[in-house]
Amino acid sequence: QEEREEEEGGEEGEVDPAERAAAVAAEEAAARAQREAGGLVLKRLRGEPGLCAALAWSPGEARRLSFHQFCTFGAPDAAAAASDGVLYYELVVGEGLENPQVGFATDGFESGRDYYDGDGVGDCSHSWGIDGTRCARWHEGDEEYDFEWAAGDVIGLAANRATGHFAVSRNGAWGGGGAGVLFSDAGLRCEGGVFPVVSAEAGSFEVRLPDAASGFAHSPPPVDFWGE
């Protein structure tokens, strides 16, 4: 957040009302199409409609998010998609990422902010994130953390509701180079579960959610990884 001191609702390039309405209608249509295809819904939670990012998706294909202004997307209905209490998803790192924060949030994460908002994943008490560009982890602010990614890397993110752990992998490896458990927090054991959230200012991610429309390149952590 510190590097994005723009005023909420006041960044340059605001969309006029007619364009905003058209953008919101297009987002609603994209959400409806994802749902009708039997998949989860990845949608904008915070940011200027029609300006902050573009979501490319078609049935049977992974979703691709291209960011143009800092904003946050998420899949709240994925909280119910956890397998044996573990929710897992993957991101393929694209080129030109700026200020990414990716991870998980609870239903306490405030959404519906249809304006520029410099707060993303891990800026509040209801979300936890990792940033392999600036090498930081995020929860109520940032902390230096030795985890780095490069374009083309497949980043696995797993949240275990039973143990309250959030872990990250790089290209299928759950250890080494900062991979492993990032957070152990009672907040991750919340009754409603957690869901995937992705924030960034520029660049792109391919998003692979735990639904029929997107396969995984790697596997979630083995059961003994969590130390239960």
Side-chain angles (χ1 to χ4, degrees):
Q1 180 183 14
E2 292 81 356
E3 300 179 19
R4 304 185 302 274
E5 294 297 332
E6 311 286 351
E7 291 187 9
E8 291 186 353
E11 184 163 277
E12 69 275 13
E14 290 183 353
V15 180
D16 70 35
E19 291 176 338
R20 177 191 288 261
V24 170
E27 289 179 345
E28 292 173 347
R32 186 166 55 252
Q34 292 177 78
R35 190 175 296 110
E36 289 175 351
L40 301 169
V41 176
L42 181 65
K43 62 183 181 179
R44 179 185 52 80
L45 303 180
R46 298 177 178 179
E48 187 73 62
L51 182 65
C52 66
L55 171 63
W57 173 84
S58 60
E61 301 294 331
R63 299 154 174 90
R64 179 171 295 277
L65 276 174
S66 299
F67 293 90
H68 311 301
Q69 183 189 81
F70 193 83
C71 61
T72 300
F73 276 65
D77 54 349
S83 175
D84 295 325
V86 176
L87 181 61
Y88 174 75
Y89 74 104
E90 291 178 346
L91 298 171
V92 181
V93 178
E95 300 282 353
L97 277 173
E98 295 181 15
N99 299 325
Q101 296 162 222
V102 302
F104 295 95
T106 72
D107 59 8
F109 185 80
E110 187 176 342
S111 61
R113 298 183 182 181
D114 294 339
Y115 49 80
Y116 173 85
D117 186 345
D119 284 343
V121 182
D123 279 311
C124 66
S125 62
H126 301 292
S127 58
W128 299 259
I130 183 67
D131 171 358
T133 298
R134 292 172 289 177
C135 299
R137 61 181 180 179
W138 293 77
H139 180 60
E140 297 187 271
D142 65 310
E143 176 185 15
E144 185 176 342
Y145 191 77
D146 186 20
F147 182 83
E148 188 172 7
W149 57 43
D153 282 346
V154 179
I155 306 303
L157 302 106
N160 188 318
R161 180 177 167 187
T163 64
H165 289 145
F166 166 15
V168 64
S169 68
R170 185 192 301 101
N171 299 321
W174 292 97
V181 174
L182 296 176
F183 293 100
S184 180
D185 193 316
L188 289 160
R189 299 198 298 265
C190 66
E191 182 176 351
V194 296
F195 61 89
V197 273
V198 180
S199 302
E201 185 169 3
S204 66
F205 282 112
E206 181 180 302
V207 185
R208 300 172 177 171
L209 295 176
D211 59 16
S214 59
F216 291 135
H218 304 288
S219 300
V223 173
D224 58 5
F225 170 84
W226 303 107
E228 296 180 89

